Amino acid sequence: MSDTCFVVQAGSALSGSTTVPGDKSISHRVVMFGALAQGVTQVRGWLAAGDTEASLSSIQALGVQVDRHSTNELTVHGGTLQAPSKPLDLVNAGTGIRLLAGIMAGQPFASTLDGSSQLRRRPMTRIITPLEKMGANIHSADGYAPLNIQPAELRGIRYDMPMASAQVKSAVLLAGLFARGATIVVQPGPARDHTERMLYSMGADIAAEGNTAVLTPNGSLNPMDLTVPGDFSSAAFLLVAAVLISGSDVTLTGVNLNQTRTGLLDALLAMGADITVTETGLEAGEPVGMLRARHSVLKGTEVGGDDIVVRMIDEFPAFMVAALFAEGESVVRDAQELRVKETDRIAVMATELLKLGANITETEDGFRIFGPQTLTGAAVDSHDDHRVAMSLTVAGLIAGGETVVMDAKCAGDSFPGFAETMIALGANLGVQAPCAAQ
Ligand code: S3P
């Protein structure tokens, strides 16, 4: 039985101006890093969503006082962490468990990090390997959660990451805060750099140049006072929908435009999308601005190589929908990471879009699509993956007839109010909870 479903019809143009919820990556980090600071961190625009709430509860279970002034406004009273009385539950949050593991590795008490059955299927060896090199004492279920972390003395290392992952980079740098000596992380491509920016703003001795970050522990971290910018990864669904739906003209304000995140923008522009970008300033050390997207005729494109793939890693489900309606061939390579996200996003998206009549050729590290294709509404399933739920909803806004996106509640893992935002822009979308269309 589906908890919630979105019932979507084609036909209406999207128009108007809106904001998107706070950046998920930054929202995880601000509660974790704020907990480590000496003093009081003030946060506005915090993303109150499934994934980030799991990080917040874990931080509270570590004895940190957090005052909740409103849904999106928090005060984090940083200081010393205390041993948790039970396993920390990160639910579905990969960023939550991997970053927290880096912090826990350096604490003088034991902890266990766990999550949902979905999180227990995601690989943890990628963080366990470097953390063990630093001296961490971690027991896992054969490389998967639960992770039991015992106290250990850590030493700084140089780690050449086998993959460009911000979660791995961050886990190592966070452990580095508690290590003897400097920690150097070298990434093969530009993974998102929110950890480096935030630690720097807190007074950490961290230098990032090119693909290398060097952190030298220098005592305590200063607290922060920040407003979390809007999440480009949430904006992505609105951008793709506006570009694909005839007559649309949508403006998004206050969006994080950090270039380590905006690979999809580059891909859409290369496809001929009519999107204008206006940078308006800095928020929390991140460039923010306005995006205006109008309906455009797209042509197929090729996406491959660490330089772009990592910068749009969360946006491939939405990109897949855009590629279906572009003229000619679109090819994605070097994106095998998609297979170990919340779901295997290549297989799940290809399977679900097939139900709408799409023809997508899966490859080991990506996919090929020849467009434009004609989709017909049908019942599709999110597989409890937020980005799949939202991408299928966008596909449903273009497919002929009615599309029912089952198990759509997970959209709230990163974009609370996704359906309401779409409806406000003019989308023909209904929310059923519980889902009547089974
Ligand atoms: C994230 C890093 C990325 C991204 C995830 C958020 C982060 O994961 O896919 O949604 O906040 O550090 P990887 O580090 O596994 O690429």
Side-chain angles (χ1 to χ4, degrees):
M1 165 105 177
S2 176
D3 49 12
T4 299
C5 54
F6 295 159
V7 182
V8 191
Q9 316 261 357
S12 26
L14 304 185
S15 67
S17 176
T18 187
T19 55
V20 288
D23 189 289
K24 179 156 82 76
S25 291
I26 295 175
S27 296
H28 278 297
R29 283 163 174 80
V30 76
V31 291
M32 289 189 203
F33 300 8
L36 299 178
Q38 293 304 319
V40 173
T41 286
Q42 305 287 3
V43 193
R44 295 163 298 278
W46 189 73
L47 173 70
D51 276 15
T52 46
E53 294 284 2
S55 282
L56 178 58
S57 309
S58 298
I59 285 301
Q60 290 172 307
L62 288 162
V64 177
Q65 187 192 326
V66 179
D67 306 329
R68 196 95 189 228
H69 309 293
S70 67
T71 316
N72 310 105
E73 237 180 289
L74 315 174
T75 300
V76 181
H77 297 264
T80 321
L81 304 179
Q82 284 160 25
S85 57
K86 52 183 199 307
L88 301 174
D89 181 5
L90 279 308
V91 193
N92 280 352
T95 305
I97 195 169
R98 292 190 178 119
L99 269 58
L100 204 53
I103 296 173
M104 291 298 106
Q107 302 308 311
F109 53 78
S111 58
T112 298
L113 309 187
D114 203 357
S116 65
S117 54
Q118 185 192 79
L119 192 64
R120 283 182 173 198
R121 287 195 295 271
R122 298 186 65 184
M124 295 297 145
T125 321
R126 55 183 59 200
I127 54 153
I128 296 172
T129 301
L131 292 175
E132 282 182 345
K133 281 192 170 126
M134 298 177 81
N137 186 349
I138 303 178
H139 299 272
S140 69
D142 262 341
Y144 294 89
L147 306 176
N148 177 259
I149 306 179
Q150 296 293 325
E153 293 280 315
L154 302 185
R155 56 189 170 271
I157 56 164
R158 175 192 161 109
Y159 189 57
D160 288 277
M161 292 201 294
M163 83 271 291
S165 157
Q167 294 177 356
V168 174
K169 173 172 63 174
S170 303
V172 174
L173 290 172
L174 289 167
L177 289 172
F178 305 97
R180 221 175 340 100
T183 294
I184 303 168
V185 186
V186 184
Q187 51 187 359
R192 66 192 68 192
D193 61 359
H194 308 303
T195 293
E196 297 91 306
R197 285 174 191 253
M198 198 178 281
L199 288 178
Y200 181 78
S201 79
M202 299 174 81
D205 181 353
I206 182 164
E209 220 185 287
N211 282 327
T212 303
V214 182
L215 178 126
T216 312
N218 65 340
S220 61
L221 297 171
N222 303 322
M224 295 166 275
D225 185 336
L226 62 80
T227 302
V228 179
D231 198 327
F232 181 85
S233 294
S234 295
F237 303 104
L238 308 182
L239 289 181
V240 169
V243 165
L244 293 180
I245 300 171
S246 183
S248 296
D249 185 350
V250 169
T251 298
L252 309 172
T253 56
V255 182
N256 187 353
L257 297 176
N258 180 324
Q259 285 195 3
T260 62
R261 297 289 301 281
T262 53
L264 177 77
L265 191 56
D266 299 349
L268 289 174
L269 291 172
M271 296 168 92
D274 182 354
I275 302 176
T276 52
V277 184
T278 314
E279 249 186 66
T280 50
L282 277 179
E283 201 74 80
E286 307 265 343
V288 295
M290 194 167 86
L291 296 163
R292 180 176 183 189
R294 280 174 276 199
H295 172 246
S296 330
V297 176
L298 301 183
K299 55 182 190 303
T301 191
E302 290 199 16
V303 177
D306 274 340
D307 274 358
I308 179 149
V309 167
V310 188
R311 295 195 303 112
M312 61 181 283
I313 195 66
D314 291 338
E315 280 62 72
F316 281 102
F319 172 82
M320 211 183 240
V321 176
L324 283 172
F325 299 100
E327 281 170 15
E329 195 176 31
S330 291
V331 183
V332 170
R333 277 185 249 98
D334 308 314
Q336 56 280 358
E337 267 299 293
L338 293 174
R339 297 207 178 268
V340 289
K341 290 295 178 190
E342 281 80 338
T343 57
D344 176 341
R345 285 184 172 157
I346 301 175
V348 163
M349 283 299 294
T351 304
E352 296 304 318
L353 288 168
L354 176 66
K355 296 177 183 168
L356 301 179
N359 181 6
I360 295 165
T361 307
E362 274 189 57
T363 57
E364 207 181 310
D365 65 345
F367 50 89
R368 287 172 181 275
I369 291 177
F370 205 87
Q373 300 190 13
T374 305
L375 305 190
T376 309
V380 289
D381 196 292
S382 75
H383 297 240
D384 199 24
D385 182 331
H386 51 130
R387 302 204 200 281
V388 171
M390 292 185 274
S391 301
L392 293 173
T393 304
V394 174
L397 289 172
I398 301 131
E402 184 174 279
T403 297
V404 180
V405 182
M406 317 282 267
D407 278 318
K409 189 170 162 214
C410 59
D413 282 353
S414 63
F415 194 159
F418 166 73
E420 292 72 14
T421 302
M422 283 298 214
I423 293 166
L425 291 172
N428 195 339
L429 192 163
V431 180
Q432 283 183 3
C435 187
Q438 295 292 323

